[in-house]
Amino acid sequence: MADAAIKIAEAPQAEQNLTDGFHLVIDALKLNGVKTIYAVPGIPITDFLRMSQSEGLRVLSFRHEQNAGYAAAIAGFLTKKPGICVTVSAPGFLNGLTALAHATTNCYPMILISGSSEREVVDLQQGDYEEMDQLAVAKSMCKAAYRVLHAQDIGIGIARAIRSAVSGRPGGVYLDLPAKLFGQVMDAEKGKKSLVKVIDAAPAQIPAPDSIKRALDVLKSAKKPLIILGKGAAYAQADDAIRNFVEKSGVPFLPMSMAKGLLPDTHPQCAGAARSTVLKDSDVVLMIGARLNWLLSHGKGKQWGEAAKKFVQIDIEPKEMDSNVEIVAPVVGDIGSCVTAMLTAMGNSWAAPPADWTKAVTSKRDENVAKMAPKLMNNNVPMDYHGALGVLRTIIKERPETILVNEGANTLDLARGIIDIYKPRKRLDVGTWGIMGIGMGQAIAATVETGHPVLAVEGDSAFGFSGMEVETICRYKLPVCVVIFNNDGIYRGTDVNKNGDDPATTVFVKGARYDKMMEAFGGVGINATSPDELRRAVNEALDSGKPTLINAVIDPAAGSESGRIGNLNPQSALKKK
Ligand code: ADP
Ligand code: TPW
Ligand code: MG
């Protein structure tokens, strides 16, 4: 088939309009609504990216494929369309693979497209430039993996990749495009006809009516009900239905970190600040687009208390049910359809949960909020986490459109609890793996995809994983303000190695000035040593929209080991004190 296509090119038909693999891939992406590509150029995709740009696609050229991949992954989360990352072969592909696996783990739709060597050479292991059997490697890291060998199959290949990424539970898809494919030529008209516009890529999945009734019966029987909203609920973009359902039910809700803002954290039913109480004391828990994984202690153990609990779960993935504990009322379908069906079936006389429960939750929440308030107003120098985060909390309250990107350990755990979010999909973070390095990729894609400014709150270690992309932020003049919580290290900056001259493994250069990195590329760099300086600098950055990096000097002794999850650290019985 490929030979036939190539022969057409060789035939002396000057009149014939031709197309090639490059243009077919670009046309197929455009036909399916793709507007942006996140990439790093090189053989064999340099010309592909140039042509994509000249054909009207926006190409964001990164400094490292992993960051381009994280950008594509979060673009998928934000838009419900697959984010596209394009890389060179072997090493570029491998650099992108972490992001592909991360997308799959987090249920974000993404397509990693990598150029590759020819099958003939790879399969005989003859040592091509950047040779690797990429398809075989990718398969275990993603939802689906495909290779296209012939120009006339490009349309189908891209259609399959798109459907696989967004239908059902979303995830990462790998698409392998060997170098020779790009140069294959075929008749332009036939080429055009070979392209596929994917119709209804993620069809609604309507829940069974009896599953809705079962779920509502369990919820109705509850004395102490709780709703947990996960990032699947944020992804679903069924914001009004979710809000109406939660409000009509009167049930306290707990948002997982990226579901914050679906309803504002300041909503009267929000139990965010009473987390331990509601997990421990609730008797019925309705999960909407959240999994009972490690982030929820697998639905069992001390955190969940002694009282018997019933779990109800709404999810698009049937296999998710009973993954950790029994789900007494599984509701399988897409969240928009499920929540809408629940709303309808509730009728007009739904009784609110017992007042002693909702009052107990509210008073616990108010008590915790009041306890925290003075800490957030402290003006300590050097700053502690609370003083610095108190400032950022007020700024997000005043500028709720801003997208917050957040990674680190203490910087993550404390910011998650302290900074209230007011609108859906305004908080992006390390996700299911607690992965460091998502920061700059997410910041770039968040503003590119939505047009809103970004505030990236970064631990100094976390930032280091993607820090070189500040050049990308400056090059594309993006409205991103990066605040580095610089405590001289991982968790704390105070560790000392008592057995030699090398520094301890968790500490960095003391008093480092990350703000200078931004200045190197023409952005604004500020060193902030007090909450007042921090407030001024962030407001200025968000007003101006100029790429800005603020080095926020944090007391090196302020943090704790592993932030809030120190209990997951294995301990040696032989550990010397
Ligand atoms: P969190 O980390 O916030 O708890 P998870 O990533 O663990 O959230 O869970 C998200 C869940 O949402 C996954 O089980 C996924 O299958 C589900 N999901 C994603 N999109 C949809 C959708 N449109 N409808 C229903 N469920 C969805
Ligand atoms: C890809 C392990 C978890 S948190 C963290 C590391 C290295 C950095 C914490 O320090 P930071 O924050 O960012 O300065 P703070 O405020 O506590 O000082 N590699 C990957 N992912 C993870 N999670 C790690 C390592 C880790
Ligand atoms: Mg740190």
Side-chain angles (χ1 to χ4, degrees):
M1 291 286 270
D3 289 344
I6 289 163
K7 259 186 217 136
I8 295 172
E10 288 164 354
Q13 298 181 29
E15 300 300 305
Q16 191 183 9
N17 277 330
L18 299 174
T19 187
D20 62 10
F22 288 109
H23 289 93
L24 287 165
V25 175
I26 293 165
D27 291 346
L29 292 173
K30 282 170 65 178
L31 182 67
N32 284 290
V34 171
K35 299 204 160 50
T36 310
I37 292 177
Y38 301 93
V40 176
I43 296 171
I45 50 125
T46 316
D47 266 351
F48 170 75
L49 295 177
R50 281 198 190 104
M51 290 180 203
S52 298
Q53 195 173 44
S54 56
E55 298 285 332
L57 286 167
R58 186 158 197 211
V59 182
L60 276 287
S61 182
F62 279 68
R63 304 298 294 257
H64 191 293
E65 291 86 353
Q66 192 175 95
N67 305 319
Y70 290 145
I74 209 68
F77 170 77
L78 288 168
T79 63
K80 290 187 94 176
K81 301 211 173 84
I84 309 287
C85 176
V86 177
T87 79
V88 302
S89 18
F93 156 78
L94 286 172
N95 283 345
L97 203 52
T98 318
L100 186 70
H102 158 81
T104 308
T105 297
N106 283 279
C107 317
Y108 304 155
M110 165 186 174
I111 303 175
L112 175 67
I113 302 179
S114 296
S116 62
S117 299
E118 305 320 325
R119 296 308 316 154
E120 297 85 334
V121 183
V122 175
D123 290 348
L124 277 172
Q125 300 180 25
Q126 293 175 313
D128 199 10
Y129 168 70
E130 299 189 347
E131 174 189 306
M132 173 178 256
D133 190 353
Q134 296 166 197
L135 189 71
V137 172
K139 269 184 182 156
S140 66
M141 310 275 173
C142 56
K143 227 183 129 181
Y146 306 104
R147 175 187 291 128
V148 181
L149 290 176
H150 306 310
Q152 61 269 38
D153 294 334
I154 286 171
I156 288 292
I158 287 185
R160 298 214 76 185
I162 291 171
R163 269 194 199 283
S164 299
V166 297
S167 61
R169 169 182 277 176
V173 173
Y174 175 60
L175 187 62
D176 192 81
L177 303 183
K180 219 157 59 181
L181 177 78
F182 291 104
Q184 279 179 30
V185 181
M186 68 185 284
D187 175 71
E189 197 52 36
K190 279 191 188 143
K192 199 172 169 193
K193 286 204 182 113
S194 74
L195 300 184
V196 177
K197 186 169 164 58
V198 177
I199 296 163
D200 199 10
Q205 301 204 8
I206 314 293
D210 58 342
S211 74
I212 295 291
K213 182 174 180 311
R214 192 186 297 121
L216 286 176
D217 285 347
V218 177
L219 195 60
K220 208 179 287 173
S221 74
K223 301 254 171 337
K224 300 175 169 185
L226 171 68
I227 293 173
I228 297 184
L229 300 170
K231 62 178 168 312
Y235 172 80
Q237 296 194 19
D239 306 340
D240 290 345
I242 290 170
R243 190 186 178 120
N244 291 341
F245 170 72
V246 171
E247 288 182 343
K248 189 167 183 179
S249 75
V251 173
F253 72 91
L254 184 66
M256 299 301 286
S257 71
M258 282 176 59
K260 276 161 71 82
L262 267 174
L263 290 87
D265 283 328
T266 49
H267 191 281
Q269 284 166 256
C270 183
R275 190 175 194 274
S276 347
T277 302
V278 289
L279 291 186
K280 193 155 53 64
D281 295 343
S282 54
D283 62 354
V284 168
V285 182
L286 166 60
M287 319 274 303
I288 307 183
R291 286 171 287 187
L292 283 168
N293 56 17
W294 71 279
L295 286 156
L296 286 167
S297 311
H298 305 279
K300 49 202 168 192
K302 215 167 79 190
Q303 198 181 14
W304 288 94
E306 302 293 322
K309 245 175 255 287
K310 287 182 178 166
F311 286 98
V312 179
Q313 185 162 25
I314 300 180
D315 205 287
I316 203 158
E317 174 58 67
K319 291 201 297 287
E320 186 57 39
M321 306 301 162
D322 307 324
S323 62
N324 286 269
V325 297
E326 180 189 32
I327 302 298
V328 301
V331 180
V332 175
D334 74 272
I335 285 167
S337 304
C338 294
V339 171
T340 306
M342 301 267 272
L343 257 175
T344 311
M346 281 163 102
N348 291 324
S349 53
W350 185 264
D356 55 348
W357 167 240
T358 48
K359 274 198 194 128
V361 175
T362 315
S363 75
K364 186 74 205 169
R365 182 194 69 195
D366 295 347
E367 185 190 314
N368 286 344
V369 168
K371 236 189 270 168
M372 179 72 87
K375 287 195 205 167
L376 300 179
M377 281 158 50
N378 90 63
N379 248 321
N380 294 345
V381 175
M383 288 186 277
D384 58 26
Y385 286 93
H386 291 86
L389 287 168
V391 165
L392 301 182
R393 176 183 200 262
T394 305
I395 290 174
I396 291 292
K397 185 177 180 183
E398 291 164 354
R399 302 167 185 265
E401 293 299 330
T402 312
I403 298 180
L404 182 75
V405 169
N406 189 199
E407 60 176 335
N410 294 280
T411 307
L412 175 85
D413 291 342
L414 292 167
R416 188 200 304 119
I418 291 170
I419 302 181
D420 288 330
I421 304 290
Y422 299 85
K423 292 177 174 235
R425 296 169 296 282
K426 294 294 187 188
R427 185 189 152 84
L428 311 174
D429 67 28
V430 297
T432 304
W433 268 345
I435 204 165
M436 295 298 116
I438 44 75
M440 298 305 100
Q442 287 192 348
I444 290 168
T447 187
V448 164
E449 298 290 340
T450 67
H452 293 300
V454 170
L455 177 64
V457 178
E458 302 269 315
D460 52 338
S461 165
F463 171 73
F465 288 74
S466 70
M468 194 62 213
E469 303 298 346
V470 294
E471 188 277 331
T472 313
I473 291 170
C474 289
R475 186 163 21 105
Y476 290 93
K477 303 187 176 66
L478 300 174
V480 173
C481 173
V482 183
V483 177
I484 307 223
F485 275 44
N486 186 359
N487 64 344
D488 293 346
I490 300 175
Y491 315 137
R492 297 162 72 88
T494 50
D495 266 13
V496 176
N497 170 19
K498 295 183 190 125
N499 303 308
D501 294 334
D502 280 347
T505 52
T506 54
V507 301
F508 299 145
V509 167
K510 298 206 182 309
R513 289 287 301 275
Y514 291 94
D515 48 313
K516 301 278 183 197
M517 281 177 71
M518 204 60 156
E519 290 177 353
F521 304 109
V524 179
I526 309 269
N527 191 50
T529 59
S530 69
D532 281 343
E533 282 175 19
L534 179 62
R535 178 182 306 109
R536 220 173 303 131
V538 176
N539 276 323
E540 218 159 277
L542 294 173
D543 283 341
S544 73
K546 283 190 193 146
T548 301
L549 191 154
I550 300 161
N551 185 61
V553 182
I554 303 287
D555 181 353
S560 53
E561 177 106 344
S562 302
R564 289 274 166 88
I565 54 171
N567 59 313
L568 298 181
N569 273 320
Q571 299 290 323
S572 167
L574 309 174
K575 198 168 173 181
K576 292 189 189 127
K577 285 282 157 202

